[in-house]
Amino acid sequence: MWSTQGRQSCDVFDARGEGTGHQLMGLGDEIIKGLTEDICVQTIDEVSRPVIEWSKSLPMAILYEGDGIRYYEEITRDTQYYLYQEELNLLRKYGDEIAGLKVRKEAYAIWDTDEPTPFALQDPVDVPYMLIDLGAGRMDKASCILDAFGRALSKPAGISSIHMTYCAVDLQMAHLRQRLLELRHEKSRLGSTGRDKEEGRASRTVGCLKIGGVCGSYSDTLSLLRDGSLDLNREGEGRRKKCLLWLGSSIANLDQAAATDFLRQFVVRDILLPGDTMLVGVDCCQDVDKVKLAYSEDSDKWKAYVENAMRNVSAALGGKAAQDSGECLSSWQYEARWDAVNSRHVVRGFSSPCELY
């Protein structure tokens, strides 16, 4: 069981711009940069549909500003969007196994052995640990994993307690703070009173959980990890072992080369060190009809999500650019295509006959 630690508020570090060195660059500047920079022309040729090409980009943040997070959460609750619920079901099914493996691994590392030595013969140890959730969203997946760690610690595993920090990473400050407070309240109901309220019996507090967050992009967060800013260890604990969560098949937003480069940097830049781990969620569904239905161009939820993003573009640009983009808003449309060459779905495609900038 967990005992939450610290104040009733949750610390959130504003890291926006850390990854690029442009801490003062506003969303409007990022939009202009993406629309004026020269990048390679990308093409998707789906059978029986017109070829689409694009050579401009918009920052991911435009999707989540305003009401973007609310619109996206409505998408995740849609039964046709199978990915979210299926991944959550997998974590519920295998969460105890995942957590158990990590807890035992920490014990073996501290005892300096690779063998499953009988735990009764070892002295119990305290373990500092950090769970970093890239793109935390609703945090129900993280909640599931934290519960699994709590159950793993309740078993005789040679570890007396884990001092864990859960760090949620997301782009929208107000939403991030609210979700962290909700998670803290949820976890404080277990362990801190010495009773398991769900089961109505005495329980043993075997973990201390600190909850915080980082408001920023993946790049911003990786910069903090590289320079050690997120290694919030207490005096005498030593380096915290890290487990990075990258769920929701976010890796599929990148092509194969970009995904490889993204994962490689964790080792090359010394972000993941010996003993650290990473849990990546990947949607391997090749049922084209099922996938296309999940991202359907006929979905009112997806259309609302995209229209909100374009309103954010309009607001961020300001002045005449905002007026022009506002007039063009009705000309933009959501396009989703199946990329048969790379067996992946390309989502959030925008097209417009007018120039935005």
Side-chain angles (χ1 to χ4, degrees):
M1 296 300 169
W2 293 116
S3 173
T4 52
Q5 180 187 52
R7 299 172 298 175
Q8 292 304 307
S9 61
C10 295
D11 293 331
V12 178
F13 185 83
D14 190 348
R16 287 171 289 190
E18 291 285 343
T20 59
H22 297 102
Q23 286 87 347
L24 300 180
M25 178 181 285
L27 186 56
D29 296 324
E30 291 188 61
I31 291 170
I32 292 171
K33 183 172 181 286
L35 294 175
T36 56
E37 277 192 337
D38 292 327
I39 62 173
C40 297
V41 175
Q42 301 182 65
T43 303
I44 293 182
D45 185 3
E46 186 176 342
V47 177
S48 74
R49 299 193 66 182
V51 175
I52 58 173
E53 295 181 343
W54 70 95
S55 59
K56 305 295 183 182
S57 65
L58 293 169
M60 289 289 290
I62 67 165
L63 292 165
Y64 302 105
E65 291 295 317
D67 293 324
I69 290 179
R70 177 172 65 83
Y71 285 128
Y72 179 68
E73 290 189 354
E74 289 178 0
I75 291 172
T76 65
R77 293 186 177 97
D78 192 326
T79 55
Q80 293 181 341
Y81 189 72
Y82 64 90
L83 172 60
Y84 196 93
Q85 190 59 49
E86 288 190 6
E87 185 174 57
L88 185 57
N89 290 340
L90 284 172
L91 291 174
R92 287 170 176 162
K93 182 177 181 179
Y94 296 106
D96 288 350
E97 183 177 344
I98 293 169
L101 287 171
K102 293 187 180 298
V103 167
R104 289 194 295 273
K105 182 177 180 180
E106 293 309 309
Y108 298 159
I110 291 175
W111 295 328
D112 194 24
T113 178
D114 294 324
E115 299 297 327
T117 308
F119 293 118
L121 301 180
Q122 304 290 349
D123 294 328
V125 294
D126 291 337
V127 177
Y129 204 73
M130 190 168 193
L131 195 65
I132 303 165
D133 193 356
L134 300 176
R138 280 156 49 184
M139 301 186 196
D140 45 1
K141 297 173 186 176
S143 176
C144 180
I145 292 174
L146 289 172
D147 287 345
F149 267 95
R151 288 191 294 271
L153 288 168
S154 298
K155 300 175 182 179
I159 291 181
S160 59
S161 68
I162 279 186
H163 299 288
M164 177 177 279
T165 297
Y166 169 70
C167 179
V169 178
D170 227 324
L171 289 166
Q172 224 270 3
M173 178 68 80
H175 174 270
L176 179 59
R177 287 187 181 277
Q178 180 61 33
R179 291 300 193 192
L180 285 169
L181 287 173
E182 292 171 359
L183 182 67
R184 178 186 176 83
H185 176 71
E186 175 191 334
K187 298 309 168 194
S188 67
R189 293 179 302 146
L190 298 176
S192 58
T193 63
R195 304 285 300 180
D196 185 333
K197 294 186 178 181
E198 291 183 357
E199 298 183 13
R201 58 179 173 79
S203 62
R204 181 170 63 101
T205 298
V206 292
C208 186
L209 177 62
K210 181 178 180 181
I211 294 174
V214 170
C215 183
S217 66
Y218 295 159
S219 178
D220 299 330
T221 306
L222 298 186
S223 295
L224 297 180
L225 286 170
R226 183 176 59 173
D227 66 21
S229 298
L230 291 187
D231 192 11
L232 306 176
N233 54 338
R234 299 181 302 178
E235 184 177 355
E237 276 189 347
R239 183 181 74 84
R240 285 186 183 273
K241 297 293 180 63
K242 299 186 293 290
C243 175
L244 268 63
L245 303 178
W246 195 28
L247 305 175
S249 202
S250 296
I251 193 172
N253 291 330
L254 307 175
D255 60 33
Q256 187 172 3
T260 301
D261 289 342
F262 182 79
L263 292 175
R264 182 183 292 119
Q265 68 180 317
F266 288 102
V267 176
V268 173
R269 298 172 65 185
D270 292 331
I271 294 169
L272 290 180
L273 300 173
D276 293 338
T277 56
M278 186 172 186
L279 183 63
V280 182
V282 183
D283 180 15
C284 297
C285 180
Q286 295 295 298
D287 183 338
V288 177
D289 291 336
K290 181 178 180 180
V291 174
K292 291 175 72 172
L293 189 62
Y295 302 95
S296 174
E297 293 173 346
D298 296 326
S299 167
D300 291 337
K301 292 182 175 67
W302 277 106
K303 289 177 182 177
Y305 183 51
V306 169
E307 287 174 359
N308 175 76
M310 300 318 301
R311 283 193 293 272
N312 291 335
V313 171
S314 177
L317 289 178
K320 186 178 184 301
Q323 180 181 349
D324 293 343
S325 63
E327 293 172 354
C328 286
L329 184 59
S330 62
S331 301
W332 286 73
Q333 60 185 11
Y334 166 60
E335 293 194 9
R337 300 291 182 88
W338 175 257
D339 182 1
V341 174
N342 296 298
S343 297
R344 60 192 289 262
H345 205 260
V346 178
V347 300
R348 295 190 293 269
F350 308 131
S351 67
S352 175
C354 60
E355 290 293 329
L356 182 60
Y357 189 81

